[in-house]
């Protein structure tokens, strides 16, 4: 007992605390490695572009350009964690955009009817694919590859090979609209600043409450110094980004949508029985089934969810372009899958975090944006993105082998 107390006293010293932080980082490099990579990549492009990357107008465009990738990455994470893959999401984006264009532009239906109808259609598409995967045990690769071809063809049929638009202003607001400044100041947008400050406070408060609750049970997930530093950096970064956005046009509607969805899916995966069962399914399907989990219904759910998020992404993408085109969503599935794997998801299923998928999508988005500003050709952009994806997977495998 005396030895234990002495050890605790030593662990509380500043030197020991610093060592524990480094040790914690080394042991959790898989969780924080990609976040550090995102920070390094942003700093690199900020220097190489002479400060253009973090200018308010470019930062706003960065969120607008990558919103649909982030939204689909949330659903793709659940699919991959469950041990499957969905190759059809890009084609579903194009198909839903075409359906929305036909309904809103050709049939002159109101936005309040078009949006939910398209989301329901996305859910039906996910259900149709999930049924064969979950209950007939057909590999998801084959089913969704077929879906990719089917919905690409239906997009061409719906649009008759031509672009359809423009959309009504109410429809465009999903992607191009901004939260108005209720204080009427103008610039900076005080509503954006207030929401940023409240979000930072909420994150720090919830993290502190969760830590206090864990300590009551004798659980300390991370060193105190690391906990303080991490949450202060997150709070400061969030306030700084919202300040930059407030000096332009404020917070885009789509950014609020992404934030709400990210919070909802983080809660789903971390705090609910459903979320824990998805991870159990991907970790060991036979063991999950033997423990009483309805694995077929769970697999079916992940694909219905993916279909609805792909539909939402299709609506946002169409609203941003203000037109539906036959090639909309082309190769989006590759960016979405790459974002999830870069964010730390495992190819074998059972591993991955929502925030990791968001970070992975942001890494892809920052790289695309930064390389475009620098004038790097599309061919070399593809090469660099492929190498980054390969490096992320190698990093993941290395950390898994190290942990054994």
């Amino acid at each position: 007992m005396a030895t234990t107390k002495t050890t605790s006293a030593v662990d509380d010293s500043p030197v020991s605390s610093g060592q524990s932080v480094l040790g914690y980082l080394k042991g959790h490099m898989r969780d924080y490695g990609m976040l550090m990579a995102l920070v390094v990549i942003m700093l690199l492009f900020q220097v190489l572009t002479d400060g253009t990357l973090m200018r308010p107008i470019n930062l706003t465009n960065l969120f607008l350009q990558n919103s649909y990738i982030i939204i689909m990455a949330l659903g793709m994470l659940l699919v991959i964690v469950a041990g499957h893959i969905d190759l059809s999401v890009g084609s579903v984006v194009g198909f839903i955009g075409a359906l929305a264009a036909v309904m809103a532009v050709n049939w002159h239906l109101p936005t309040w009817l078009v949006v939910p109808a398209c989301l329901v259609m996305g859910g039906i598409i996910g259900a149709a694919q999930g049924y064969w995967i979950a209950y007939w045990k057909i590999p998801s690769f084959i089913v969704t590859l077929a879906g990719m071809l089917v919905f690409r063809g239906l997009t061409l049929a719906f649009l008759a090979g031509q672009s359809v638009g423009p959309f009504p202003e109410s429809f465009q607001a999903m992607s191009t609209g901004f939260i108005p400044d209720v204080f009427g100041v103008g610039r900076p947008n005080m509503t954006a600043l207030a929401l940023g400050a409240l979000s930072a406070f909420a994150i720090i408060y919830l993290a502190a409450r969760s830590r206090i609750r864990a300590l009551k049970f004798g659980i300390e997930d991370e060193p105190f110094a690391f906990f303080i530093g991490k949450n202060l950096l997150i709070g400061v970064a969030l306030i700084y980004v919202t300040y930059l956005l407030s000096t332009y046009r404020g917070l885009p509607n789509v950014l609020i949508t992404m934030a709400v969805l990210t919070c909802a899916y983080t809660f789903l995966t971390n705090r609910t029985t459903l979320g824990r069962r998805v991870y159990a399914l991907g970790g060991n399907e036979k063991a999950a089934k033997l423990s009483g989990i309805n694995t077929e219904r769970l697999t079916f759910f992940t694909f219905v969810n993916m279909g609805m998020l792909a539909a939402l992404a299709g609506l946002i993408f169409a609203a941003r372009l203000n037109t539906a085109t036959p090639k909309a969503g082309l190769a989006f599935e590759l960016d979405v899958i790459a974002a999830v794997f870069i964010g730390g998801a495992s190819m074998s299923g059972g591993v991955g975090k929502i925030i990791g998928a968001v970070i992975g999508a942001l890494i892809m988005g920052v790289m695309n944006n930064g390389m475009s500003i620098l004038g790097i050709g599309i061919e070399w952009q593809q090469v660099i993105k492929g190498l980054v994806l390969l490096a992320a997977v190698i990093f993941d495998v290395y950390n898994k082998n190290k942990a054994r």
Side-chain angles (χ1 to χ4, degrees):
M1 292 295 293
T3 304
T4 305
K5 289 180 180 179
T6 303
T7 304
S8 299
V10 173
D11 288 344
D12 289 338
S13 67
V15 176
S16 162
S17 177
Q19 290 175 344
S20 65
V21 169
L22 291 175
Y24 180 81
L25 273 176
K26 288 179 181 179
H28 293 77
M29 188 57 68
R30 188 175 185 177
D31 295 328
Y32 295 103
M34 287 302 108
L35 178 59
M36 291 187 286
L38 173 61
V39 173
V40 170
I41 290 171
M42 291 187 70
L43 290 175
L44 176 63
F45 279 116
Q46 177 72 355
V47 173
L48 293 177
T49 61
D50 296 324
T52 301
L53 181 72
M54 293 297 290
R55 288 179 183 171
I57 186 172
N58 188 66
L59 201 59
T60 301
N61 289 332
L62 184 64
F63 286 120
L64 295 179
Q65 291 167 1
N66 294 281
S67 57
Y68 36 89
I69 300 297
I70 293 174
I71 288 170
M72 284 191 287
L74 301 177
M76 188 64 75
L77 176 77
L78 294 183
V79 170
I80 289 174
V81 164
H84 299 283
I85 198 77
D86 191 341
L87 301 177
S88 68
V89 292
S91 296
V92 173
V93 165
F95 173 72
I96 293 297
L99 178 62
V102 170
M103 295 176 70
V105 179
N106 293 351
W107 298 349
H108 305 289
L109 296 176
T111 300
W112 62 265
L113 180 60
V114 172
V115 171
C118 288
L119 292 177
V120 169
M121 178 56 70
I124 292 172
I125 291 170
Q129 297 187 125
Y131 170 76
W132 298 108
I133 296 165
Y135 296 102
W136 287 74
K137 305 301 179 185
I138 300 175
S140 57
F141 182 89
I142 300 300
V143 174
T144 58
L145 178 61
M148 180 175 70
L149 299 174
V150 168
F151 294 110
R152 181 60 58 193
L154 288 176
T155 302
L156 290 169
F158 259 61
L159 298 178
Q162 299 178 343
S163 297
V164 176
F167 286 98
E169 289 186 5
S170 57
F171 187 90
Q172 295 177 46
M174 282 193 300
S175 180
T176 59
F178 290 80
I179 302 297
D181 188 359
V182 297
F183 299 101
V185 175
R187 293 187 183 180
N189 187 307
M190 296 305 297
T191 301
L193 286 175
L195 288 175
L198 285 173
S199 299
F201 173 79
I203 288 173
I204 294 173
Y205 170 75
L206 291 173
R209 192 177 71 167
S210 177
R211 181 181 176 84
I212 291 170
R213 186 176 300 170
L215 288 174
K216 287 181 179 179
F217 295 96
I219 303 171
E220 185 176 16
D221 291 334
E222 54 193 18
F224 182 69
F226 182 83
F227 171 79
I228 293 294
K230 180 187 74 173
N231 286 286
L232 281 178
L233 283 174
I234 291 174
V236 170
L238 187 57
I239 292 174
Y240 178 63
V241 169
T242 52
Y243 168 74
L244 291 177
L245 294 174
S246 71
T247 60
Y248 179 52
R249 296 181 63 185
L251 299 177
N253 292 338
V254 72
L255 180 59
I256 302 299
T257 302
M258 286 190 301
V260 171
L261 287 173
T262 301
C263 292
Y265 279 86
T266 300
F267 179 81
L268 172 71
T269 54
N270 293 345
R271 302 289 183 179
T272 67
T273 302
L274 178 62
R276 288 191 291 269
R277 286 179 175 177
V278 171
Y279 283 90
L281 169 63
N284 190 323
E285 183 176 358
K286 289 183 179 179
K289 194 172 186 66
L290 289 172
S291 66
I293 296 174
N294 189 330
T295 55
E296 291 83 7
R297 186 169 61 190
L298 204 56
T299 299
F300 182 76
F301 159 76
T302 60
F303 280 93
V304 172
N305 175 71
M306 183 71 256
M308 292 187 68
L309 288 178
L312 177 59
L315 292 171
I316 291 173
F317 185 69
R320 179 171 173 267
L321 293 183
N322 197 23
T323 185
T325 65
K327 291 187 177 181
L330 189 64
F332 277 13
E333 60 277 355
L334 302 181
D335 283 340
V336 174
I337 293 169
V340 174
F341 283 135
I342 289 173
S346 173
M347 294 174 290
S348 57
V351 176
K353 292 184 177 180
I354 290 295
I355 193 64
V358 174
I359 290 172
L362 287 174
I363 287 176
M364 297 287 287
V366 170
M367 288 177 58
N368 285 335
N369 185 267
M371 289 188 291
S372 297
I373 294 173
L374 293 174
I376 297 175
I378 187 67
E379 65 278 8
W380 290 109
Q381 289 189 32
Q382 298 296 328
V383 170
I384 293 170
K385 285 160 60 178
L387 291 174
V388 169
L389 174 59
L390 180 61
V393 174
I394 292 172
F395 179 76
D396 175 65
V397 172
Y398 170 77
N399 278 293
K400 279 201 297 186
N401 291 336
K402 189 178 178 182
R404 289 174 181 172

